[in-house]
Amino acid sequence: MKRSFLLIFLLALLLAAAWLAPAFKTDPGHVLINFGDWTVETSVLVLATAFLVLWLLVQLVAWLWRMPVTAARRMQEQKAYKQLEKGLLALTEGDWGAAEKALEKSASTQGKATAHYLAAAHAADSQDKSEKREYCLEQADSGGSKKRFLVELTRAR
C-alpha cells in the first residue's frame, strides 16, 4: 500500500509539474533571502529543487543511521526462527530437553512468544519439571483473553 501511495503521489507531482511548466517558462519567479551578511538570490524552481534535494539527503542519512539496528534485528529474528524450528523438531522427536532449551531461546529473542513458551511448557511437563512448566506458562500469559484461554487450556492438559 505504501508503494502504491508513493506511485500515485509521484504521478500527481509529475502532472502538477507539467501543468505549471508553461507558467514557469514565461516567469521563473524570483526569491531573495537576506540573513545577516548573507544574500541568496535564485528562482523558485531552483529553491524548490534545493529543498527537495535537502529532504532526500536527510532521508538518506536517517536510513543509514537506522540500517545497523534494522540489520541486527533481522539477524536476531532469523536466529530465533532457527531455534524455533530446532525446538519444534526436537519436540516432535521426543527430545524434551533439547526442545525446551531451543524453544526458550527462540521465545527470549522475539516479542510474540506465546506459542514458543507454550511449546516449552509442554516440553518441561514431559520431563516432569513442574516449576519450569509454570514459569513458561506464566511467560506465555502476557495478556489478552485469547492468550489467557490458551495458557489455561495448556495448563489443564
Side-chain angles (χ1 to χ4, degrees):
M1 185 168 154
K2 189 175 180 181
R3 284 189 181 193
S4 61
F5 176 74
L6 184 62
L7 185 63
I8 291 171
F9 179 72
L10 287 175
L11 183 61
L13 194 63
L14 284 173
L15 288 173
W19 181 64
L20 291 173
F24 279 112
K25 187 175 182 182
T26 58
D27 184 17
H30 183 77
V31 177
L32 178 66
I33 301 172
N34 287 324
F35 185 73
D37 294 335
W38 290 76
T39 301
V40 177
E41 189 173 352
T42 186
S43 69
V44 174
L45 286 178
V46 172
L47 183 66
T49 304
F51 276 132
L52 180 65
V53 168
L54 180 66
W55 180 77
L56 289 173
L57 284 174
V58 168
Q59 292 296 319
L60 177 67
V61 168
W63 178 75
L64 288 173
W65 184 264
R66 288 186 306 253
M67 191 171 53
V69 174
T70 305
R73 187 180 68 238
R74 282 186 186 153
M75 287 175 56
Q76 191 176 26
E77 287 174 356
Q78 287 175 352
K79 190 176 180 181
Y81 284 129
K82 286 180 184 177
Q83 287 294 323
L84 175 63
E85 182 181 14
K86 180 180 174 183
L88 291 176
L89 288 174
L91 189 67
T92 304
E93 292 170 354
D95 188 1
W96 311 120
E100 179 187 351
K101 288 178 186 176
L103 288 166
E104 276 195 79
K105 282 183 183 178
S106 72
S108 65
T109 57
Q110 277 190 316
K112 299 177 182 177
T114 303
H116 302 250
Y117 278 118
L118 289 175
H122 175 68
D125 186 54
S126 298
Q127 299 176 77
D128 294 325
K129 294 182 177 178
S130 60
E131 291 177 13
K132 192 66 159 180
R133 178 193 66 220
E134 288 303 317
Y135 169 77
C136 290
L137 289 173
E138 289 300 319
Q139 294 297 317
D141 188 14
S142 61
S145 60
K146 186 174 182 180
K147 290 181 182 179
R148 189 165 294 120
F149 172 74
L150 291 173
V151 169
E152 293 303 322
L153 181 65
T154 304
R155 187 173 275 133
R157 285 182 182 166

